[in-house]
Amino acid sequence: MGLVDYGLFSEKLPPCFTSEGLSDYVPNILLKLITETDEKKLNKLLKNREHDFIRYEPLREVNITRQIGIPHPESHIVQCLALKRHWAKIKRHCAKPETPMSRLFVRKMSSKRVFRMNYKGKEHLENEEADIRKMTGAHYVAHTDISNCFPSIYTHSIPWALHGRSKSKKNRSVLLEGNLLDKVTRGTRDGQTNGLLIGPHPSNVISEVILTRIDHNMVQKGYRRFYRYIDDYTFYAKDHNEAEKFIHDLGMQLREYELTLNGRKTEILPMPLPIKEDWVRELNSFRLPAKGATVHFGTVRSLLDLALELAHGAETYAVLNYAIKMMPRNLDSRAKRLFVQETINLALIYPYLAPILEEHVFNKHRYDGIEKAILDFIEQLLAIGIQRIFPDAIAHALYYSLKHNLQLSTPEDKLREVIEIDDCLSNVLLLEYAKRYGVNGIREDIRRRVDKLKGTDPREKDRFWLLIYQLWLKKTLNDEGQQFLADLKRNRFGFVSFR
């Protein structure tokens, strides 16, 4: 049940949001989803399990937002149980072609038994060797990706991928593996057939079901010198015509599943080309002191200056993310202070960097008195988030405040503007802040906002399910048609933890 416990909340969220242990509270009636063979009973189990979802907008590297989703826990559990029911079928399906073209796989992490879609970490060297073999005889490389992939996936294409379109259209029973996965996936988006939620891990599994079928079809057409990472394709071609034909044939295959290529990101380039981008090679070539040697600020400054120069040249600020993460741990005391301040300065200009500071800066380079630097940072980050309507910046500012036990000097009138932005997760964290520091006016304002949801359409309540869970009593949840949340509340399950 790793997907239930660790697949609800995206890694893009502040890490205080958790569903760990949720599998212990799966109702027995839902567990029948794994084994039920009577179609009528299975349909009855699935009835009224569809929900809308929480919207959240993490920042991307160019300081623009991208919507991700947090499904209602009931529809999330139902989807996970359906995946568990047909896991053997999914594994066999995703093993095609025999030499997988996807650079993703479903990883079962030993520490938390979390299923995660990721690079095949320990097989990185094997992938590198495979790439070099695929380049043999190639004179061109084609790059392309799927336009707006997850939001464009048509859920009815899940059974098409597993069983073929003809069989799927003839057999609409939920006992057919693909039909069940189609139905429960729609359930995480209030019954909508267009789109997968970005963020939850089950969406990655579903996308692989569809895209692995397309990979297999392309191999059947004779294309073996390509690989795919999520929705990005790379193909090594012997000549320009073959590269063009690959893009054409891939586009036609995608159309079979209601998907299209992204023309803006499609290109054919002459070989040879470096495997890694220029800025990655430049940073990896930077001469750091020997392992274990003390690092002084001059080295820190040089690395950050190089990263900024490369970022401007490459027009991507992922360079800064990479450089911050590669900074050695053994900085001297002055280097620590100044590196922390430099990364804070960068994160205030590029707030998308804020989420990495906890692990790669504040914890890794902690020093006596760092709390003041963190407090100054989060107060400014909060102000930027409110001014520019960046809920992600607001949420991370409040998270850092709660995680480090730092009370803000931000006036109540300014905090009230967070409520007006009406972002569910930001308001959950603001509520936690108000409770911890006794800001009763803010606490009551959030309660009044949430109480406006009483008697509204269930979809409206679903979009704020975590906030109503935090505020409403069991009886109120029951009265408002949220029996599943009421049962979790009765068991005192918590979705927010600062351990």
Side-chain angles (χ1 to χ4, degrees):
M1 301 289 271
L3 280 171
V4 172
D5 284 345
Y6 302 104
L8 177 64
F9 294 105
S10 166
E11 291 88 350
K12 299 291 184 183
L13 307 180
C16 57
F17 296 108
T18 177
S19 58
E20 184 174 354
L22 183 59
S23 61
D24 294 336
Y25 300 99
V26 175
N28 289 331
I29 186 70
L30 285 186
L31 289 174
K32 292 182 180 179
L33 280 171
I34 300 173
T35 56
E36 184 57 67
T37 57
D38 183 282
E39 184 176 6
K40 287 185 178 179
K41 290 180 179 179
L42 187 55
N43 275 316
K44 187 176 180 181
L45 280 173
L46 295 169
K47 190 176 181 181
N48 299 323
R49 309 286 184 187
E50 295 178 347
H51 293 277
D52 211 332
F53 59 94
I54 294 172
R55 279 77 171 161
Y56 185 71
E57 299 169 351
L59 286 164
R60 304 174 74 179
E61 61 170 281
V62 287
N63 281 351
I64 60 172
T65 60
R66 179 187 191 183
Q67 187 186 94
I68 65 173
I70 302 99
H72 190 285
E74 183 174 35
S75 60
H76 169 68
I77 287 172
V78 166
Q79 186 185 35
C80 291
L81 291 174
L83 288 168
K84 181 176 178 64
R85 174 183 176 121
H86 296 307
W87 194 250
K89 170 80 173 181
I90 292 168
K91 283 184 69 175
R92 289 194 301 272
H93 173 83
C94 289
K96 298 177 182 179
E98 289 184 9
T99 302
M101 300 301 171
S102 175
R103 288 295 164 84
L104 294 181
F105 77 133
V106 183
R107 179 185 296 172
K108 189 175 183 180
M109 306 295 286
S110 58
S111 58
K112 291 188 175 181
R113 299 174 62 80
V114 57
F115 291 82
R116 187 172 292 175
M117 304 297 288
N118 212 331
Y119 281 114
K120 300 179 179 180
K122 65 181 181 180
E123 294 152 343
H124 170 73
L125 297 179
E126 293 178 15
N127 289 336
E128 192 172 51
E129 291 182 19
D131 288 349
I132 293 172
R133 286 195 298 270
K134 287 176 181 178
M135 291 179 192
T136 303
H139 291 269
Y140 289 87
V141 59
H143 295 293
T144 190
D145 74 6
I146 300 171
S147 180
N148 208 24
C149 182
F150 275 36
S152 299
I153 284 178
Y154 182 48
T155 64
H156 290 341
S157 69
I158 301 169
W160 300 352
L162 283 172
H163 315 292
R165 191 180 288 213
S166 177
K167 181 178 179 180
S168 301
K169 289 190 173 183
K170 290 177 182 176
N171 184 351
R172 301 300 178 93
S173 168
V174 291
L175 293 177
L176 189 68
E177 297 96 328
N179 290 341
L180 178 61
L181 295 177
D182 173 11
K183 186 172 182 63
V184 299
T185 299
R186 280 183 276 135
T188 64
R189 288 176 53 87
D190 196 33
Q192 295 180 42
T193 57
N194 284 326
L196 302 180
L197 294 182
I198 298 173
H201 293 172
S203 293
N204 294 341
V205 178
I206 295 296
S207 71
E208 282 296 296
V209 167
I210 297 165
L211 299 184
T212 298
R213 170 58 65 187
I214 294 171
D215 293 345
H216 178 67
N217 292 347
M218 291 297 288
V219 170
Q220 293 292 93
K221 286 181 170 290
Y223 298 106
R224 295 185 175 274
R225 299 199 299 183
F226 76 94
Y227 66 84
R228 172 178 57 81
Y229 176 64
I230 307 179
D231 61 345
D232 292 323
Y233 291 83
T234 297
F235 173 67
Y236 298 106
K238 63 185 179 183
D239 53 41
H240 199 278
N241 287 339
E242 187 182 38
E244 287 186 332
K245 189 171 186 304
F246 171 83
I247 291 170
H248 172 269
D249 288 350
L250 177 59
M252 294 301 291
Q253 283 297 315
L254 291 171
R255 287 174 67 86
E256 292 291 317
Y257 294 88
E258 308 282 339
L259 298 168
T260 59
L261 287 175
N262 185 343
R264 290 185 299 106
K265 292 188 177 180
T266 299
E267 59 182 357
I268 299 172
L269 301 172
M271 295 281 285
L273 287 173
I275 294 177
K276 292 183 178 179
E277 295 184 74
D278 290 345
W279 64 264
V280 176
R281 294 198 314 278
E282 289 274 357
L283 286 178
N284 286 342
S285 299
F286 183 84
R287 294 196 63 176
L288 290 165
K291 187 175 182 180
T294 300
V295 179
H296 305 293
F297 183 65
T299 302
V300 173
R301 176 73 275 163
S302 295
L303 178 56
L304 291 179
D305 284 348
L306 174 62
L308 282 166
E309 182 181 343
L310 293 171
H312 291 312
E315 297 183 349
T316 171
Y317 291 91
V319 184
L320 301 177
N321 187 314
Y322 193 96
I324 290 169
K325 290 179 179 179
M326 70 179 282
M327 189 63 67
R329 184 177 297 274
N330 48 317
L331 275 56
D332 67 26
S333 58
R334 180 173 182 269
K336 281 184 180 180
R337 291 196 315 275
L338 294 178
F339 175 63
V340 168
Q341 192 59 54
E342 285 281 16
T343 54
I344 283 173
N345 295 345
L346 289 170
L348 291 174
I349 297 171
Y350 309 111
Y352 97 98
L353 292 171
I356 71 167
L357 266 55
E358 175 75 3
E359 178 181 355
H360 297 284
V361 179
F362 300 151
N363 290 343
K364 186 176 175 182
H365 303 289
R366 180 166 292 276
Y367 62 86
D368 290 341
I370 195 175
E371 289 77 15
K372 183 181 185 307
I374 297 173
L375 179 58
D376 290 344
F377 165 60
I378 60 179
E379 288 183 339
Q380 293 184 69
L381 182 66
L382 180 63
I384 290 169
I386 294 170
Q387 174 64 32
R388 301 179 67 179
I389 317 177
F390 287 164
D392 192 40
I394 295 169
H396 277 91
L398 292 167
Y399 163 74
Y400 285 137
S401 168
L402 292 160
K403 179 68 175 179
H404 294 276
N405 294 306
L406 298 170
Q407 186 170 2
L408 304 168
S409 63
T410 308
E412 279 193 37
D413 285 349
K414 201 68 179 173
L415 292 176
R416 203 162 277 115
E417 292 183 39
V418 174
I419 304 172
E420 294 169 4
I421 291 173
D422 215 22
D423 174 71
C424 179
L425 297 192
S426 294
N427 279 329
V428 167
L429 290 171
L430 184 60
L431 176 65
E432 293 298 312
Y433 176 87
K435 289 193 291 188
R436 181 176 298 185
Y437 294 110
V439 191
N440 294 327
I442 293 297
R443 189 173 177 178
E444 288 308 309
D445 284 347
I446 296 173
R447 183 177 295 280
R448 279 192 288 271
R449 164 65 187 98
V450 171
D451 284 347
K452 289 181 181 178
L453 292 169
K454 290 179 178 177
T456 61
D457 187 277
R459 295 176 184 84
E460 281 299 306
K461 291 189 275 282
D462 287 343
R463 290 166 71 116
F464 293 88
W465 68 259
L466 184 51
L467 190 55
I468 67 175
Y469 184 79
Q470 296 297 102
L471 267 174
W472 285 350
L473 300 174
K474 297 186 291 293
K475 183 179 184 306
T476 308
L477 289 167
N478 264 318
D479 291 346
E480 291 296 321
Q482 294 285 343
Q483 286 80 16
F484 188 87
L485 294 182
D487 289 341
L488 285 178
K489 191 97 173 184
R490 188 174 298 110
N491 287 303
R492 299 184 178 181
F493 184 80
F495 288 104
V496 183
S497 174
F498 292 93
R499 291 179 297 170

